[in-house]
Amino acid sequence: MRHPQGRARRAGAALAAALTWAGLLAGAAGCTSNGTDGLGIDRVLGGKPPAPEDVIRVSPDDGTRAVRPDGPLTVRVPDGRLESVRVVRSQDAQDSPVPGHIAAGGTIWRPDDPRLALAAKYTVDAVAVDGDGHRSARHTTFTTLVPAERFIGYVTPENRATVGTGMIVSLAFSRGIEDRAAVERAIQVTAKPAVEIRPHWFGDNRLDFRPEHYWQPGTVVTVGLDLRDVEGARGVYGLQSKTFTFTVGRSQVSLVDAAAHTMQVRRDGELLATVPITAGAPEHTTYNGKMVVMEMHDVTRMNSRTVGFGGEYDIPDVPHALKLTDSGTFLHGNYWAPEAPGHVNVSHGCVGLRDVKGGSSDTPAGWFYDRSLVGDVIEVVNSQDKTVSPDNGLGGWNMGWKEWKAGSAVK
């Protein structure tokens, strides 16, 4: 009889314990509406960890789209500290880490470059420990604005070119620039050996760079364009991020005397030759001033209608043509008036050198062409015309240094 009674006593004790535990839980659950205060179940069982988004707060929010480039990217914790933050930018099918640092006692992370790239996806992975010692991890993503409109800058001279000492770095923009200072700051032009190089704006679409005096032969010039995602006008962002270089060759400066019908060619300061020329006729005079060779053509067509002279001429095979201005001034070979160079001015504003049909290296025009580079300087004096405008071709050398520097948008 003792054996059954022992089993009964043990069963009764177990039932009493179960009822006591159930009562405790029931009483705790009834203390508050959410069961987490006082002696709530979460506290009894060790506490419920907070949600990751409460521990680690990321801006922009997870899943946000079309974030502007000036939208702040931050990772922070209101309580505790950040252990690690890793941010990756995915753009143009390439992933790149975003450098940044944790500051303010471990409570906030910011990128080293505050501007966000456009048309990119950002992925944020962060780990933090809250004030109660709980470790949390958070993974978020957001995407940035895909601009509807972009602008680019067409650069002169070409990458890896060897140019004359008068070359001016010129950028022609595909869209009008409203924030000139922002665009100007995104372009760096440097030289080795070093020399001061300053920018000058000609309207909203063109930005030129040059030193005070002609480049020294052998100078290597580097042009850095960091225009990508720069807002040049409202809603219009730059596209380019590239670097290129060019080298300055020997110095060659030629002086055209329109009254004497001659051109003195100087190489590295020494007189190389004096060449007979013909300049603009009295009714179509040649510009005075410094002009820079912009393009070189073995042969080209010249049609008077393209430069506002009606139907006065159309020559399909002008040899040895060096373009000097946007308005149509050339130095070129002349085979149709062989007696004019050295004696009389007969052109429509160009500078002509004796040549033969089809061109020849044995003529004055061919000799000069073979010894010329894009970037060489041609200066005209004693013409009955005005000085060429600084923005007509690469005419910036006709502007004084003080005036040139005043054309910068960055003050």
Side-chain angles (χ1 to χ4, degrees):
M1 299 297 291
R2 292 180 181 177
H3 187 65
Q5 290 177 350
R7 287 200 301 267
R9 283 196 297 269
R10 287 195 295 269
L15 177 61
L19 292 174
T20 301
W21 180 245
L24 174 62
L25 296 184
C31 291
T32 65
S33 60
N34 58 17
T36 59
D37 292 336
L39 296 176
I41 182 61
D42 291 338
R43 179 174 293 250
V44 170
L45 296 178
K48 181 179 179 181
E53 57 268 27
D54 293 330
V55 178
I56 305 172
R57 300 179 182 178
V58 180
S59 178
D61 291 335
D62 187 26
T64 304
R65 298 182 179 182
V67 177
R68 288 181 56 83
D70 55 357
L73 169 56
T74 59
V75 181
R76 63 186 180 89
V77 290
D79 185 23
R81 60 182 175 82
L82 288 165
E83 282 193 341
S84 66
V85 177
R86 182 173 183 266
V87 180
V88 175
R89 181 182 66 245
S90 301
Q91 185 182 45
D92 299 335
Q94 182 176 355
D95 291 346
S96 304
V98 177
H101 60 278
I102 298 173
T107 62
I108 190 166
W109 177 95
R110 291 188 179 93
D112 294 340
D113 182 354
R115 288 188 62 83
L116 300 175
L118 292 173
K121 177 183 177 181
Y122 282 79
T123 302
V124 180
D125 286 287
V127 177
V129 178
D130 68 12
D132 294 325
H134 296 119
R135 178 174 281 100
S136 298
R138 190 165 186 214
H139 172 89
T140 68
T141 64
F142 65 89
T143 56
T144 54
L145 176 71
V146 178
E149 298 183 81
R150 293 279 200 175
F151 74 89
I152 62 174
Y154 299 97
V155 185
T156 299
E158 296 180 352
N159 188 27
R160 300 181 181 177
T162 298
V163 301
T165 55
M167 175 53 64
I168 290 175
V169 178
S170 184
L171 288 92
F173 297 105
S174 59
R175 296 289 302 268
I177 302 300
E178 296 174 5
D179 193 344
R180 296 185 187 181
V183 170
E184 186 179 315
R185 289 189 189 98
I187 301 170
Q188 297 294 324
V189 182
T190 58
K192 187 176 181 179
V195 64
E196 183 182 11
I197 303 166
R198 299 296 291 271
H200 187 98
W201 285 90
F202 293 107
D204 294 334
N205 293 84
R206 177 174 167 184
L207 177 62
D208 286 7
F209 291 81
R210 72 167 175 89
E212 183 175 4
H213 306 291
Y214 299 146
W215 304 99
Q216 290 298 314
T219 299
V220 177
V221 181
T222 300
V223 181
L225 304 182
D226 192 17
L227 292 171
R228 184 167 185 127
D229 300 343
V230 173
E231 191 171 16
R234 185 172 179 82
V236 183
Y237 296 86
L239 187 60
Q240 295 155 296
S241 181
K242 61 183 294 186
T243 299
F244 69 94
T245 63
F246 64 88
T247 302
V248 180
R250 81 292 174 276
S251 168
Q252 183 167 295
V253 178
S254 301
L255 183 67
V256 173
D257 189 327
H261 315 298
T262 62
M263 179 175 68
Q264 294 180 335
V265 183
R266 283 184 164 79
R267 174 75 62 83
D268 297 322
E270 299 294 327
L271 182 63
L272 198 63
T274 299
V275 182
I277 63 95
T278 180
E283 62 273 24
H284 302 298
T285 50
T286 304
Y287 288 125
N288 285 295
K290 301 177 180 71
M291 291 170 265
V292 173
V293 176
M294 303 166 61
E295 300 172 6
M296 299 178 63
H297 304 277
D298 290 333
V299 61
T300 191
R301 177 183 179 183
M302 291 188 175
N303 188 319
S304 58
R305 296 185 186 279
T306 64
V307 289
F309 287 137
E312 295 189 26
Y313 62 86
D314 186 3
I315 307 172
D317 57 354
V318 177
H320 298 131
L322 309 179
K323 185 177 181 180
L324 303 181
T325 69
D326 290 323
S327 61
T329 306
F330 279 77
L331 186 151
H332 60 76
N334 182 318
Y335 66 80
W336 51 90
E339 303 303 322
H343 301 286
V344 62
N345 293 329
V346 297
S347 82
H348 283 73
C350 292
V351 176
L353 281 68
R354 186 172 58 81
D355 211 333
V356 296
K357 190 176 179 64
S360 170
S361 294
D362 296 330
T363 63
W367 176 90
F368 185 72
Y369 186 91
D370 290 343
R371 288 161 178 78
S372 294
L373 290 173
V374 169
D376 283 346
V377 179
I378 312 291
E379 182 176 3
V380 177
V381 296
N382 296 326
S383 176
Q384 300 302 310
D385 205 330
K386 64 182 179 181
T387 298
V388 63
S389 174
D391 62 347
N392 191 355
L394 302 177
W397 299 110
N398 296 290
M399 184 180 291
W401 186 233
K402 183 177 180 180
E403 184 181 2
W404 179 270
K405 291 190 295 183
S408 170
V410 178
K411 305 301 183 183

